[in-house]
Amino acid sequence: MPVAIKNLTARPLFVSLNSGTNLRLSSGEVAGQVPDVELKNNSKIEKLISQRAIAVESQTKKAIGGTRDQASRRIRARRG
């Protein structure tokens, strides 16, 4: 399930993921659609969470914007 990572500090952060890639997050920036396997058993991320430097939230289809059917209904409703 994808997760969102938010920088809670006033400075930029580099977040190391399990795949070896790094996320650069500006102050208040949110990185969405990060696979949760990138965070499992990652001591650096656990440390950032314990320091309250980042917040991690799971994303569901509702949080992302609904299902495809709901989006197409909204588009059709706007067209009239």
Side-chain angles (χ1 to χ4, degrees):
M1 178 184 319
V3 297
I5 302 173
K6 181 178 183 179
N7 180 357
L8 300 175
T9 67
R11 58 193 166 103
L13 287 178
F14 286 93
V15 180
S16 299
L17 302 177
N18 287 338
S19 63
T21 59
N22 292 312
L23 292 176
R24 183 195 181 280
L25 298 174
S26 297
S27 177
E29 184 177 4
V30 177
Q33 299 294 320
V34 178
D36 60 349
V37 296
E38 295 284 3
L39 310 179
K40 289 186 180 180
N41 300 323
N42 189 325
S43 61
K44 293 178 183 178
I45 290 182
E46 290 173 9
K47 183 178 178 181
L48 290 171
I49 292 171
S50 68
Q51 293 174 342
R52 296 189 178 149
I54 61 171
V56 177
E57 295 181 6
S58 64
Q59 294 183 323
T60 61
K61 288 189 182 246
K62 279 187 175 180
I64 294 169
T67 63
R68 186 174 181 190
D69 291 337
Q70 291 172 341
S72 62
R73 281 188 216 133
R74 282 182 284 213
I75 292 170
R76 279 185 258 156
R78 286 186 209 147
R79 291 181 187 164

